[in-house]
Amino acid sequence: MRDYLDPENAKGMPDLMDSAICTEMLITAKSAVNNYAIAVTEAVNPELRQILVRHLDEAIEMQGAISALMAQHNWLFPADPKSQYPFDRKAANTAIDVVSMDLFPYDTDRLGMFATPTNTESKENQP
C-alpha cells in the first residue's frame, strides 16, 4: 500500500496544486465577470449600476492577471489551442488518477504524519 501522506510519495504535487489552484481561480474570475455583466444589465438604480460596473472592471482585471500568471508558467495557452489541448487532457487524466487513489486507507494508525506500522509478530510472541 502506498502512503500518500508520506512526503516521499508526493513528488511533483506542489506544481500540480499550483496549476490546479490557478485554474480554479481563473474559472471563478470568469464566472464573476459573467455574473457582474448580467447584474449590470439588470440593475435599474443608477448608483447600483455604477458600483456593479466598478466591480465588473475589477473582475476583468483579476481575470487578466490570473491568465497572465498562468501563461507565464505555461499552464495556459490562450492563443494556441493546439498547445492548450494536451495540457487540459493531462490535467483531466491527473484528476481521474487522484480520484482513483486510496487516500483514506483503513489502517490510519498514525503517530504524527507518517504511518505507524503495527508489529503483529512481537505481539504474538508476548506472554
Side-chain angles (χ1 to χ4, degrees):
M1 169 176 91
R2 290 187 65 182
D3 182 2
Y4 294 100
L5 295 178
D6 186 344
E8 187 65 31
N9 294 323
K11 290 180 182 172
M13 271 303 181
D15 290 334
L16 288 173
M17 287 308 303
D18 288 347
S19 170
I21 291 169
C22 279
T23 300
E24 184 61 33
M25 288 176 62
L26 181 63
I27 291 168
T28 302
K30 287 181 175 186
S31 179
V33 169
N34 186 40
N35 291 334
Y36 279 125
I38 291 170
V40 167
T41 63
E42 299 291 329
V44 178
N45 182 319
E47 293 172 10
L48 175 59
R49 194 177 193 135
Q50 285 178 343
I51 292 169
L52 291 171
V53 167
R54 189 176 70 239
H55 285 294
L56 174 61
D57 290 341
E58 291 172 359
I60 291 170
E61 287 180 30
M62 177 64 75
Q63 186 270 332
I66 295 168
S67 293
L69 175 72
M70 291 181 72
Q72 178 183 351
H73 288 281
N74 294 322
W75 298 330
L76 181 68
F77 306 93
D80 188 6
K82 288 184 180 182
S83 295
Q84 186 65 44
Y85 178 75
F87 183 81
D88 289 345
R89 188 162 173 97
K90 181 182 178 198
N93 287 333
T94 300
I96 291 169
D97 290 343
V98 168
V99 168
S100 66
M101 290 178 180
D102 184 18
L103 295 176
F104 302 101
Y106 291 106
D107 178 18
T108 57
D109 181 24
R110 297 181 180 278
L111 293 175
M113 190 171 148
F114 300 100
T116 304
T118 55
N119 190 347
T120 58
E121 196 174 307
S122 64
K123 289 180 183 177
E124 290 174 4
N125 294 334
Q126 292 180 353

